[in-house]
Amino acid sequence: MPTLVVIGNPTARRFEGAVDAVLREAARTGSDARVVPTTPTDAGAGQARDAVASGADAVVAIGGDGTVREVAAVLAGTGIPLGIVPVGTANLFARNLDLPLRDAEAAARIAVSGATASVDLGRVVLTRADGTREPEQPFLVVVGVGNDALAVAASSLRAKRRVGWAAYIAAGARRLGHPSFAVRGRFDGGPVESAHAWSVLVHNAARIPAGLQVLPGTRLDDGLLHVAVVSPRHLAHWGRIAAAGAGIARAEGVLRHRRALRVTLGAVDEPMPVQLDGDAAGRVERLDARIDSGALSIRVTGSEV
């Protein structure tokens, strides 16, 4: 009998219904399932390590991007499939996988018995202003510096629980006219480049809430990081950026794209605010990101991502 470990965030919205749906699907498929909740001091990594050590055949994560990221970091490279039942705020990774966001039964079917695909995982090292270089950590969708990260930090926990991903959009809208940051970038060991940008986004996947794709054509299995340098000079440019994100226009001069295996971003005038997958991560002097190609086995709706 296959063993299935269900790791879930009990504080997430719709958690109990999602657990019930996964257990029903596990029973239907003959899997031996056990539920292990996350805790305030262990958001999923410790539970995932225990699942690997116990010989689990598959793992299901119930929660938002933070929970999924913690579990994915441990499962990467093991070949153990990860299923996802999204019950978080933005659910960016689930959106990029085209997983059901509101139908727990459908999501549970895919998480337990869907097809398996290999997808990339981003990895990043953050260096703080005092020179402290933190251990490498994963990201599923995006690392962002600048006003994007400040908007994430400004969206309150209460607002996120009440209105979901719209809290991020509202916080970002309030910062549309804020000044740019001076940033230095280096791509695959090339020459150092400088820019003034509202935000610089290093993507593993393209889609963000509201159906926009900051970098159309980006795939979770293309083995590349995709960098968006967002540099509007006045509020009217945001219309062009939004149109480009919807795939109906281009935004030359205000939205620049780069592709690379490795990306380094450095602060110029002041430490840069940073966010990982919609979670504020303070300020940094530098970040070094890389792509870990095909590192993660994921349950998906079909045979391709």
Side-chain angles (χ1 to χ4, degrees):
M1 180 180 292
T3 59
L4 176 70
V5 176
V6 183
I7 301 172
N9 178 1
T11 68
R13 296 179 299 170
R14 301 177 285 119
F15 170 75
E16 292 183 1
V19 169
D20 290 343
V22 170
L23 293 180
R24 285 194 295 271
E25 180 64 15
R28 188 189 69 81
T29 59
S31 296
D32 180 16
R34 60 186 174 91
V35 179
V36 184
T38 63
T39 69
T41 58
D42 194 338
Q47 294 87 343
R49 283 192 290 270
D50 290 343
V52 173
S54 68
D57 295 297
V59 173
V60 171
I62 299 176
D65 290 306
T67 302
V68 175
R69 186 171 62 245
E70 290 282 328
V71 176
V74 175
L75 296 188
T78 67
I80 298 173
L82 171 62
I84 300 169
V85 179
V87 294
T89 301
N91 299 311
L92 293 179
F93 193 49
R95 291 174 188 273
N96 280 276
L97 291 167
D98 286 324
L99 297 177
L101 301 179
R102 296 293 176 185
D103 187 339
E105 297 289 342
R109 284 194 296 272
I110 297 166
V112 175
S113 51
T116 302
S118 296
V119 301
D120 305 332
L121 186 67
R123 297 189 182 274
V124 65
V125 175
L126 304 179
T127 302
R128 301 297 177 178
D130 63 359
T132 301
R133 185 178 169 90
E134 297 183 348
E136 186 177 66
Q137 55 187 312
F139 64 95
L140 300 167
V141 177
V142 61
V143 174
V145 299
N147 282 288
D148 167 76
L150 289 177
V152 167
S155 55
S156 70
L157 180 60
R158 178 179 296 179
K160 285 189 284 187
R161 285 179 173 171
R162 186 177 68 252
V163 300
W165 62 261
Y168 294 121
I169 303 300
R174 290 192 292 270
R175 301 199 61 83
L176 294 185
H178 282 236
S180 298
F181 286 80
V183 183
R184 293 191 182 100
R186 194 173 187 187
F187 307 94
D188 288 336
V192 175
E193 304 175 26
S194 298
H196 277 80
W198 189 85
S199 282
V200 180
L201 306 170
V202 182
H203 280 261
N204 180 38
R207 192 177 304 164
I208 61 175
L212 299 181
Q213 295 194 49
V214 178
L215 297 170
T218 303
R219 290 176 56 92
L220 275 165
D221 60 355
D222 62 12
L224 292 167
L225 292 172
H226 298 256
V227 183
V229 181
V230 185
S231 304
R233 293 181 294 280
H234 48 76
L235 289 177
H237 281 159
W238 285 103
R240 292 171 59 188
I241 292 171
I248 58 176
R250 301 175 68 88
E252 289 90 347
V254 296
L255 182 62
R256 288 176 289 162
H257 298 170
R258 294 291 297 267
R259 297 177 182 177
L261 298 174
R262 293 179 176 269
V263 175
T264 296
L265 300 178
V268 177
D269 301 321
E270 59 179 315
M272 305 175 296
V274 62
Q275 62 95 358
L276 276 70
D277 293 334
D279 291 328
R283 289 181 177 258
V284 299
E285 192 67 26
R286 165 175 167 160
L287 70 79
D288 294 273
R290 68 180 179 91
I291 196 71
D292 194 353
S293 181
L296 196 58
S297 294
I298 290 285
R299 298 288 197 202
V300 296
T301 55
S303 59
E304 297 183 358
V305 180

